[in-house]
Amino acid sequence: MKSIDNDPVSLFLRALLGLGRRVRAERPSGALSLSGLGILATLNRHGPMAATQLAAQVRLQPHSLTRLLRDLEKDLFISTMRSSSDLREITIAPTESGRPVLLASMAFLPALP
């Protein structure tokens, strides 16, 4: 029987979780959350998109995305607009002030040893 402690997948997952803890610990207080950073990075990479498409890209349920989008919009990092063809659909776009925040936030990520 294989020991979980020495299983390569288990070792990799533990290392990955440790890296995540380190990244969160190194972030300055008041910095953009890692979830917010992921949203801005996705919008920067792919351009404006529907909220449902964005949720799928960042692997969040649409209802989980709502609070994050509200905070990013309040800080003027994204803009939201209703679709003219389907009033239920919201399109999310990065703003001019969102890109510098994305770049500055990424500069705070610790370098790997």
Side-chain angles (χ1 to χ4, degrees):
M1 182 180 221
K2 216 177 194 184
S3 170
I4 290 179
D5 293 333
N6 294 326
D7 177 44
V9 173
S10 296
L11 292 171
F12 175 75
L13 288 175
R14 279 201 306 270
L16 189 60
L17 290 171
L19 176 62
R21 282 191 297 274
R22 168 105 189 267
V23 167
R24 284 188 297 277
E26 294 289 328
R27 308 246 330 128
S29 66
L32 186 62
S33 72
L34 292 177
S35 297
L37 184 61
I39 290 168
L40 278 180
T42 299
L43 290 171
N44 184 60
R45 198 169 37 255
H46 299 290
M49 63 179 67
T52 52
Q53 184 183 3
L54 178 60
Q57 284 285 326
V58 296
R59 292 191 161 91
L60 288 173
Q61 294 296 318
H63 66 273
S64 301
L65 192 62
T66 303
R67 181 185 54 80
L68 293 166
L69 293 178
R70 185 189 64 230
D71 292 344
L72 289 170
E73 188 173 27
K74 181 185 70 151
D75 293 336
L76 304 176
F77 299 151
I78 62 165
S79 64
T80 59
M81 56 204 124
R82 292 235 178 245
S83 168
S84 57
S85 60
D86 183 354
L87 295 179
R88 296 170 297 171
E89 184 176 270
I90 296 174
T91 300
I92 315 298
T95 62
E96 289 298 318
S97 59
R99 184 169 169 71
V101 170
L102 171 64
L103 296 174
S105 293
M106 292 181 75
F108 283 112
L109 293 175
L112 295 176

